[in-house]
Amino acid sequence: MFKNYLKIAWRSLKKRPFFTFLNTFGLAIGMAGALLISLFIHDELSFDKMFADADRIYRIDTDVKFGGAEILASESSAPMAAAMQRDFSQVESTLRLRDRGSALIRKSGAKTNTKELRVTFADSTLFDFFGLKLLVGDAKTALTEPNTLVLTKTAAEKHFGVQNALGQSLLLNNTDTYTVTGVIDDLPQNSLLREHSVFMAMAGYADSRESNWGSMNYFTFVKLIPSVNAADFNEPLQEMFTRYMIPWVQKIFPGMTAESFAASGNYWEHKIMPLTDIHLYSNRQSELSANSSIQNVYILSFIALFLIILATVNFMNLSTAHSLKRSKEVGIRKTLGSNKTELIRQFLIESGMVAFISLIIALIIAMIVLPFFNDLSGKEITIPYANPIFWLIVLFTTLILGLFSGSYPAFFMSRFMPIKVLKGSGQNSVGGGKIRNSLVVFQFTISVFLIVSTLVVFQQIKFIQGKDLGFNKDQILLINDTYAAGSQVQAFKEEITGLGQVAYASLSDYLPTPSSRSNSSLFREGAMEQENAIQMQVWEVDHDYLKTLNMELVVGRDFNPRYATDSTGVIVNEAMLPVMGVTAEEALGIRITGDLDLEEKVFYTVIGVVEDFHYESLRENIGALGLFLGKSTGTMAVKLKTGNYSSTLASIENIWNKIAPGQPFSYRFMDESFDATYKAEQNLGKIFMVFTILSIFIACLGLFGLAAFNAEKRTKEIGVRKVLGASVGQISYRLTLDFLKLVGVAIIISLPIGWFAMDKWLEDFSYRIEINWWILALAGSFAIAIAIITVSYQSIKAAIANPVKSLRTE
């Protein structure tokens, strides 16, 4: 019997090729989009779950309010790990990581350095803690001795090869020699350590042994014993502040207590963050790697759901619309003895067949577009063809989708009364007009919502890229790792400045591109109690910093090499003024210091106030900052004049190769670095755009099919109207108007929902656009234009048909 159902289903689908194509292709597009998004979401949810005992591992975060600033740190102090291991029986083991950024590395005897982007100090517990296996070396001893390191497989292959790496020597940053004691496999792309390729022994890092509870520089992880409830560990964790932090601070502020600290409006709290939650739920300062957001997962989940619903609605809509043509078939079957159950089974098998054909097409589409989707999302997703669980999920979902898509048409058509349909009466009511109209409204409600979302996301990105940042990021070349030039770095700067296409050059340790920062507590002269602390960024710059980045002074002056006293001068930003409680003019001459524990304190005098500039993401407010004259050689910013950049870059590289032979020449442009900060938003905007287009395409497929059906159903009416003198335009207008009413209802429903949802999304940005009326109007107009274009073809085609032929056919 089942075989017979399949034969009938196949013949029925072949008999209606246009209808079958619309249903199959629409469903395939929806399934392909949902499949790609599901793979993306699965990757996002899988982060860090591959590590041993991942469900028992937590990171110690620190929330601090002190000196007028609130800090959400993903790090804690150096002695934190040892204290937890010693004081808490719930702790099985601990691990500290100290991220050092990039490093130049070469093997002993080599003259040329290579650059490793992420180099990290790590405790010797690293391997047992995360369950990492060494390809060569002994995990028990690999990082126990100072000046030893472990490489990832790719890093080892750059220098020695995996098997020959053990015992080899490497020179880091042209100064420190390390011995290779192990090689581990490359870390997975869905782990927080994915970018890290060199792990150096923490035993060789000086301040790792310090008892400074005030600095937060260490990513500290704790593994709890299996029986411990993580929530119960949070309470004793807060005791660390009173037990260790207060005694340490009392060396600087005698008499300070936890109560007086809190009375000043301050707090210092430790929290635990589950390892597997970090990627999606953590957005703190100085993360070990770039994180995503659970909000993006929710948004994409809704988009995938929308695509499937749209495709399903299409199937229902077209099936019920074409029920008029199949009403006589149902009537004859019932007359010949078919019961309702058999008819339902027949129609469900047809829908199931369409769903499985759509699955095959969807897999082909997904396979073709996957490389483009990976570029769009910045991932390396693959379709797991060899995984039986994948096929079980896909096939089961397809079966459910087929049954669900065909359920309403099957139950609807099986209710037809054979006497009525065979006599031809009641046909005008066949086809579920109200249901079809509701489904069209639903489809376009989703489509208009996605159009609004896409427009808002791109407007916010445009706002970010065009906002006045308080400095000029254009035509700024950033040369990395200039410390590699050693004592010749100033000579390199002078030679570059002498080039005709270079306006200025500046050496500094920090630039206004979002990165790790240096928070410090400073105090005004005469107000050096803890309640008067000023939390601020401390940046070392040179005399040319402000003019290279085209920063404007509000009052005061820039650093000047003619003034020897500028070595103890400081330029503060406007955000510093309310923290100090002064105006810009009053700030000049104020002296500040951070050396509270020294008998001979160094005071820095405010010589200027610079306009606020954005040095963090636009999600954050501008905080207090001070520019100090220093001798940092980390990065060189070069202001280029308009001209041939290729020629200028070649000249700069030639100077570098002459002054620092064998050292890699690495550069980037500041505007590119700034834009990279918002890569997640840019990718989200592109994904929105792609899947909005897909949703509109699916909705239009259904609307096109319904317009064709509607025109065919009204063939006689159109013929009569033409005979009575109606023009092509009048007939097209009448055929189109019904659909435009439905789209209008969809617009009225979707615009408030779209505005509310995107307003919530924009709350994550401290600097954001307002959703203007024209964005909503544009979305609505776009939807109307799409509907008109989709329907007009069928309307005009019906309107220009020969009425004689139409009436004779009827």
Side-chain angles (χ1 to χ4, degrees), residues 204-461:
Y205 191 56
D207 71 0
S208 67
R209 297 184 296 275
E210 289 184 0
S211 59
N212 183 349
W213 282 87
S215 64
M216 296 174 291
N217 300 316
Y218 291 80
F219 295 96
T220 305
F221 296 87
V222 58
K223 184 185 290 187
L224 303 180
I225 60 176
S227 59
V228 173
N229 186 333
D232 296 336
F233 184 67
N234 253 326
E235 187 175 343
L237 192 63
Q238 304 314 314
E239 299 172 8
M240 305 289 278
F241 175 73
T242 306
R243 189 181 305 172
Y244 294 106
M245 184 69 180
I246 291 297
W248 180 82
V249 172
Q250 284 174 344
K251 297 176 183 177
I252 304 171
F253 302 110
M256 193 189 90
T257 64
E259 290 73 21
S260 64
F261 184 79
S264 301
N266 300 319
Y267 57 79
W268 189 293
E269 299 173 350
H270 293 297
K271 298 180 178 180
I272 57 173
M273 166 67 75
L275 174 68
T276 52
D277 284 356
I278 290 174
H279 180 68
L280 292 176
Y281 293 93
S282 181
N283 184 25
R284 291 172 169 259
Q285 295 179 353
S286 305
E287 296 282 355
L288 263 174
S289 57
N291 289 337
S292 184
S293 167
I294 190 64
Q295 187 182 57
N296 291 345
V297 171
Y298 291 147
I299 290 171
L300 291 173
S301 298
F302 280 119
I303 291 177
L305 185 62
F306 287 164
L307 287 173
I308 288 294
I309 291 174
L310 284 171
T312 304
V313 164
N314 253 11
F315 188 98
M316 292 180 176
N317 232 351
L318 291 173
S319 296
T320 53
H322 282 76
S323 61
L324 180 60
K325 286 189 171 184
R326 301 193 68 178
S327 59
K328 288 186 179 180
E329 174 194 339
V330 173
I332 292 170
R333 283 174 170 239
K334 282 196 168 185
T335 303
L336 294 176
S338 292
N339 59 39
K340 188 176 179 180
T341 303
E342 289 173 337
L343 288 170
I344 291 172
R345 192 178 296 128
Q346 174 65 58
F347 292 131
L348 287 178
I349 287 174
E350 282 186 26
S351 65
M353 184 177 289
V354 170
F356 279 99
I357 294 171
S358 299
L359 172 63
I360 295 169
I361 299 172
L363 289 171
I364 294 170
I365 293 171
M367 182 175 61
I368 293 170
V369 303
L370 186 59
F372 304 100
F373 183 75
N374 281 335
D375 288 340
L376 194 67
S377 62
K379 289 189 173 290
E380 298 177 4
I381 297 170
T382 58
I383 300 176
Y385 294 111
N387 189 339
I389 297 176
F390 166 77
W391 287 110
L392 284 173
I393 293 172
V394 167
L395 293 174
F396 178 75
T397 304
T398 304
L399 178 63
I400 296 299
L401 189 61
L403 294 175
F404 180 72
S405 300
S407 58
Y408 175 72
F411 283 96
F412 179 82
M413 287 187 281
S414 65
R415 292 202 310 264
F416 290 171
M417 298 298 293
I419 296 175
K420 286 187 177 182
V421 296
L422 291 176
K423 288 172 65 177
S425 61
Q427 287 189 359
N428 290 334
S429 66
V430 174
K434 290 183 179 179
I435 297 294
R436 284 203 309 277
N437 292 344
S438 301
L439 294 177
V440 169
V441 170
F442 180 75
Q443 282 184 311
F444 270 86
T445 298
I446 291 175
S447 297
V448 174
F449 170 79
L450 291 176
I451 293 170
V452 171
S453 302
T454 302
L455 290 174
V456 170
V457 170
F458 275 104
Q459 280 297 308
Q460 177 65 14
I461 293 170

Side-chain angles (χ1 to χ4, degrees), residues 701-727:
L701 279 179
L703 197 60
F704 187 80
L706 288 177
F709 167 76
N710 194 45
E712 186 176 348
K713 183 181 176 183
R714 299 172 69 177
T715 301
K716 184 177 180 179
E717 175 194 338
I718 294 167
V720 172
R721 287 182 179 278
K722 289 200 72 176
V723 170
L724 295 177
S727 66

